[in-house]
Amino acid sequence: MPAPLTLLETSSNLPDHADAVVIGGGIIGAFAAYYLTRRGLKTVLIEKGRIGAEQSSRNWGWCRQQNRDARELPVSTKSLDLWERFQEETGEETGFRRCGLLYLSNNEEEIAGWARWRDFAKPLGVTTHMLSSAEAAERGYATGKSWKGGVFSPTDGIADPARAAPAVARAIIKCGGTVIQNCAARGIETEGGRVSAVVTEHGTIRTKAAVLAGGAWASSFCRQLGIRFPQASIRSTALSVSAEAEGLPDTLHTSGITVTRRGDGGFTLAISGRGRVDVTPQQIRFAPQFLPMFFKRWRNLAPGGLEGIRGGHETLSRWKLDEKTPMERMRILDPKPDAATVRLTHQRALELLPELSKTKIQAVWAGFIDTTPDGVPGIGEISTVPGFILAAGFSGHGFGVGPGAGHLIADIVTGEEPLVDPKPYHPDRFNNSAWGKVADF
Ligand SMILES: Cc1cc2nc3c(=O)[nH]c(=O)nc-3n(C[C@H](O)[C@H](O)[C@H](O)COP(=O)(O)OP(=O)(O)OC[C@H]3O[C@@H](n4cnc5c(N)ncnc54)[C@H](O)[C@@H]3O)c2cc1C
């Protein structure tokens, strides 16, 4: 059974023009379209499958500042406020709560790293509490184990991946925007070099602004426009169990296992950083740029199989705008979960939290996490195609920063004061052959 997702009924009437078209109905595209609609722009959000059905419903739901790279911290902090404000201003329920995030460890080097991060983040106004061994044992009482230390970030939280993107899409519709599912964007038309239209499988929408929030599909789409966007996906596996366990923390991260309470009371279980690399022609093409990332993360990675080729999202081929494209052949990327990871995850979770033995496995799934070479997203207008804004490569962090990233995208489209400094995210940095600093966490 795949990751749970709230299904949404949407219109199938494609407008022939719009002020802005957002391609991709994950959390990033949904929030971008929401903020554009709220500013009075006639906005259309088009999704080739179902709203939220790819990464945005397959994640753990962590919305965190804790351990964030300096380049991403500003947008993370703003996002937490925006998650709260979104629920107040729309009445839509994303399941967001500032329940705090708990990390426990017996590794002194890891604990020292958290303390360094605390020192870096404090002047920026981020509260995070280092835990002594006694405090860690108290907060982690459900483990029944002793810990050398830990960290608790009380202002961070979680939202519900099953509900969030659909809730934002409903808010877009309430505000007068248009959401269309089962509609793939095939490409972009230009006039005098500027975006003039988005071509979809169901017709053409004239527009001067096109936002590509296509997740793992972004690089292959960009390739059709002559834009080089180095991107690679890692297949990550997770499972959910039922709600019978009592007295567990809402969130708990250890190096062996991460546990998160879900909106339905059950728990998502996963092993942080562990993934399979399903090699594709695109990955081979961009391999040199990903070397620093690979050397930093390789311990948790294992070779995969043909799931990347089967997905079709990392194709190097060119497609025609009047023929069926890879996006229409794969409406929802639903890669196979890794069976060995499922077994190990479940076993480690029961060892860490014996109370979980009262629960049953409800769902098992995998998702392709789309990453950039430096682990920081690519957000910005592409200078060679004015009017085309790329917003992808969220590198395993995009759910939590969805509201801030969506707001920033709307700022870029409308030319308003940006929510945060957009420079660290600009995709122009990928044109530089120098290796950028890989995000720490
Ligand atoms: C197992 C797992 C755990 C994770 N845990 C966390 C976490 O705890 N916290 C966190 O912040 N992040 C987490 N992430 C990462 C997070 O889920 C992603 O960064 C985020 O969801 C990316 O959102 P997105 O909108 O960019 O992409 P997606 O959610 O993948 O959405 C992209 C959408 O674009 C659509 N699309 C693509 N091309 C086209 C086209 N041509 N036309 C129309 N539609 C198109 C796709 O169908 C898809 O629905 C996790 C990811 C995984 C897989």
Side-chain angles (χ1 to χ4, degrees):
M1 196 183 146
L5 175 65
T6 304
L7 300 183
L8 195 71
E9 289 308 314
T10 54
S11 160
S12 51
N13 295 330
L14 196 79
D16 63 3
H17 71 281
D19 296 322
V21 176
V22 179
I23 301 164
I27 200 72
I28 302 299
F31 268 116
Y34 169 69
Y35 288 114
L36 287 165
T37 306
R38 275 184 68 90
R39 288 176 198 191
L41 270 71
K42 182 176 158 65
T43 305
V44 184
L45 172 64
I46 52 173
E47 163 54 51
K48 69 177 167 55
R50 299 212 72 114
I51 294 294
E54 293 195 349
Q55 292 174 85
S56 294
S57 57
R58 292 162 193 260
N59 61 74
W60 315 339
W62 285 44
C63 304
R64 69 176 166 95
Q65 304 164 100
Q66 180 67 45
N67 295 337
R68 275 270 176 257
D69 185 270
R71 290 162 287 183
E72 253 187 273
L73 186 57
V75 76
S76 309
T77 303
K78 295 280 186 193
S79 291
L80 289 160
D81 293 340
L82 292 174
W83 274 111
E84 268 170 345
R85 209 183 306 158
F86 172 80
Q87 298 197 148
E88 287 158 20
E89 65 197 11
T90 63
E92 291 292 344
E93 185 53 67
T94 62
F96 177 74
R97 298 177 292 131
R98 288 198 196 242
C99 56
L101 304 178
L102 175 63
Y103 296 65
L104 300 175
S105 179
N106 280 319
N107 180 325
E108 276 165 13
E109 205 180 311
E110 188 174 36
I111 296 167
W114 294 338
R116 279 196 300 278
W117 190 89
R118 184 259 328 259
D119 297 343
F120 143 77
K122 199 170 173 196
L124 304 172
V126 182
T127 313
T128 186
H129 302 309
M130 292 305 294
L131 305 177
S132 67
S133 177
E135 289 165 333
E138 194 181 327
R139 283 212 179 259
Y141 62 93
T143 67
K145 294 180 177 28
S146 59
W147 298 95
K148 281 199 172 144
V151 63
F152 183 67
S153 58
T155 55
D156 288 344
I158 49 174
D160 185 356
R163 285 186 289 172
V168 184
R170 275 196 305 272
I172 296 167
I173 298 166
K174 271 191 198 166
C175 296
T178 304
V179 179
I180 301 182
Q181 298 178 104
N182 285 309
C183 180
R186 290 178 169 171
I188 304 290
E189 282 178 352
T190 57
E191 273 172 27
R194 282 197 64 89
V195 168
S196 60
V198 173
V199 179
T200 81
E201 62 179 300
H202 298 310
T204 298
I205 310 173
R206 283 182 292 108
T207 187
K208 288 190 170 141
V211 175
L212 177 63
W217 299 82
S219 184
S220 59
F221 193 97
C222 283
R223 194 165 302 119
Q224 315 302 313
L225 303 169
I227 300 163
R228 185 176 183 280
F229 174 42
Q231 186 187 32
S233 336
I234 302 295
R235 178 162 45 107
S236 175
T237 293
L239 58 142
S240 69
V241 295
S242 52
E244 293 84 357
E246 285 171 14
L248 302 193
D250 287 329
T251 64
L252 173 57
H253 169 89
T254 68
S255 60
I257 187 85
T258 302
V259 180
T260 314
R261 190 182 295 278
R262 298 184 61 83
D264 62 6
F267 296 87
T268 298
L269 314 177
I271 300 175
S272 181
R274 186 178 165 107
R276 294 245 172 218
V277 181
D278 299 302
V279 175
T280 63
Q282 179 177 295
Q283 289 190 7
I284 293 167
R285 180 176 180 215
F286 293 133
Q289 267 180 282
F290 277 90
L291 280 178
M293 164 77 83
F294 181 74
F295 285 123
K296 197 157 185 169
R297 308 267 160 87
W298 67 271
R299 278 186 194 82
N300 288 320
L301 299 176
L306 295 175
E307 287 299 285
I309 307 264
R310 195 177 69 82
H313 56 297
E314 292 187 346
T315 176
L316 291 182
S317 69
R318 298 252 165 189
W319 57 72
K320 294 189 176 147
L321 300 190
D322 57 356
E323 285 176 5
K324 206 169 180 177
T325 64
M327 290 86 69
E328 292 141 75
R329 284 190 278 274
M330 181 58 75
R331 292 282 170 194
I332 297 174
L333 265 181
D334 186 21
K336 279 200 192 83
D338 177 42
T341 299
V342 172
R343 280 193 300 277
L344 186 65
T345 306
H346 196 228
Q347 178 197 326
R348 285 186 183 177
L350 298 191
E351 276 167 15
L352 183 74
L353 296 164
E355 180 72 13
L356 284 173
S357 59
K358 293 182 182 162
T359 65
K360 290 188 188 63
I361 294 181
Q362 284 185 318
V364 170
W365 65 86
F368 278 122
I369 297 182
D370 72 309
T371 65
T372 61
D374 57 11
V376 175
I379 309 172
E381 186 173 20
I382 301 296
S383 50
T384 51
V385 191
F388 182 70
I389 290 107
L390 173 66
F394 282 81
S395 306
H397 318 144
F399 185 73
V401 301
H407 195 295
L408 179 63
I409 294 160
D411 300 336
I412 293 167
V413 172
T414 57
E416 285 180 33
E417 177 74 22
L419 180 76
V420 292
D421 178 7
K423 276 193 228 77
Y425 313 117
H426 202 285
D428 273 358
R429 71 186 189 279
F430 301 126
N431 298 331
N432 189 339
S433 59
W435 285 325
K437 179 182 180 289
V438 178
D440 284 328
F441 295 95

